[in-house]
Amino acid sequence: MFGWKGAKRQKTYRAPDGAEGGNGTKTGVMSGLVSGTKVATALGWRDVNSLQEGDMVLTFDAGLQPVKRISRTPLWSGAGSCPTAFWPLLVPAGVLENEAAMTLLPRQGVMLESDAAEKTLGDPFALILAGTLDGAHGIERVFPQDDMTVVTLHFDSAQVVFAEQGALLFCPAGGDLLDYASGKAQGQGPYSILPELFAAQLVQDGYAYA
């Protein structure tokens, strides 16, 4: 079963393929946290867009950690309508142990707990791309709001943060998920995103909430 139970993560596995999509331009982003997403901080649950450099954010493996840098970009700034590839996913309340419905970008890293992952990999925690969950348990792509802002939190080393009272979301040490997956980013620690085909099989075999 997927879902954080408070157990200590043991390890994750490296993905050889790229983690960022798009056409190479800077007109849209596919990873980061959408403005309005609440994350756990030293001062309680706060909108990610309200955070500033130096704020302490609760992480899965390292407790409270200071945010070193914050980037804010529009989801889509290109000409015409936002292409389907950039559309975010709407996650109903409770599906990822999130208290309220939340929005995830398709290339945002999400950590899940899975009986299938533990059986196959020897570790119940798996880091996958949110787009892999499209169609599972009511998760679906939605057309983005025109003013949707994407916030990326950067730490000294890569971290997984708590969002919406239970979801676990990956945040990089620097760069973006494309840099991370291609090996350009440094200091990413033990975190690795599973290859999409393998992640999709895990979702199919073991994605279930009580």
Side-chain angles (χ1 to χ4, degrees), residues 47-129:
D47 183 336
V48 67
N49 201 34
S50 72
L51 298 183
Q52 300 179 4
E53 293 180 6
D55 283 344
M56 303 296 289
V57 172
L58 183 62
T59 68
F60 184 58
D61 281 316
L64 290 168
Q65 291 293 316
V67 178
K68 291 300 183 180
R69 181 167 63 88
I70 299 176
S71 58
R72 293 176 173 86
T73 56
L75 172 64
W76 175 251
S77 56
S81 298
C82 179
T84 306
F86 290 89
W87 287 18
L89 296 100
L90 180 63
V91 180
V95 174
L96 297 177
E97 298 191 357
N98 48 309
E99 186 174 77
M102 64 186 299
T103 303
L104 294 177
L105 298 187
R107 297 286 175 170
Q108 171 59 43
V110 180
M111 182 173 278
L112 303 172
E113 187 178 3
S114 164
D115 288 341
E118 184 170 25
K119 181 178 179 180
T120 304
L121 305 173
D123 181 358
F125 295 100
L127 191 61
I128 71 171
L129 298 177

Side-chain angles (χ1 to χ4, degrees), residues 10 15 24 28 36 81 128 189 192 201:
Q10 299 172 16
S81 298
I128 71 171
S192 296
Q201 188 63 49

Side-chain angles (χ1 to χ4, degrees), residues 1-202:
M1 183 178 78
F2 288 137
W4 178 65
K5 302 174 183 174
K8 184 69 175 179
R9 179 189 53 77
Q10 299 172 16
K11 57 188 174 183
T12 51
Y13 295 81
R14 182 174 180 80
D17 54 334
E20 185 70 42
N23 56 10
T25 67
K26 297 298 183 181
T27 53
V29 293
M30 289 186 172
S31 64
L33 308 186
V34 174
S35 178
T37 302
K38 292 183 175 61
V39 298
T41 75
L43 300 178
W45 294 96
R46 296 175 58 190
D47 183 336
V48 67
N49 201 34
S50 72
L51 298 183
Q52 300 179 4
E53 293 180 6
D55 283 344
M56 303 296 289
V57 172
L58 183 62
T59 68
F60 184 58
D61 281 316
L64 290 168
Q65 291 293 316
V67 178
K68 291 300 183 180
R69 181 167 63 88
I70 299 176
S71 58
R72 293 176 173 86
T73 56
L75 172 64
W76 175 251
S77 56
S81 298
C82 179
T84 306
F86 290 89
W87 287 18
L89 296 100
L90 180 63
V91 180
V95 174
L96 297 177
E97 298 191 357
N98 48 309
E99 186 174 77
M102 64 186 299
T103 303
L104 294 177
L105 298 187
R107 297 286 175 170
Q108 171 59 43
V110 180
M111 182 173 278
L112 303 172
E113 187 178 3
S114 164
D115 288 341
E118 184 170 25
K119 181 178 179 180
T120 304
L121 305 173
D123 181 358
F125 295 100
L127 191 61
I128 71 171
L129 298 177
T132 310
L133 298 169
D134 190 8
H137 293 263
I139 298 175
E140 62 180 353
R141 297 258 189 166
V142 293
F143 188 80
Q145 301 174 2
D146 291 339
D147 60 349
M148 185 171 285
T149 299
V150 178
V151 181
T152 303
L153 305 178
H154 302 273
F155 297 89
D156 276 336
S157 60
Q159 301 292 344
V160 170
V161 303
F162 295 88
E164 300 294 348
Q165 272 78 11
L168 293 166
L169 306 180
F170 175 79
C171 292
D176 55 22
L177 284 181
L178 176 59
D179 293 335
Y180 170 64
S182 65
K184 295 179 182 178
Q186 301 298 317
Q188 300 300 348
Y191 299 114
S192 296
I193 296 174
L194 290 178
E196 291 185 69
L197 289 177
F198 184 46
Q201 188 63 49
L202 281 182

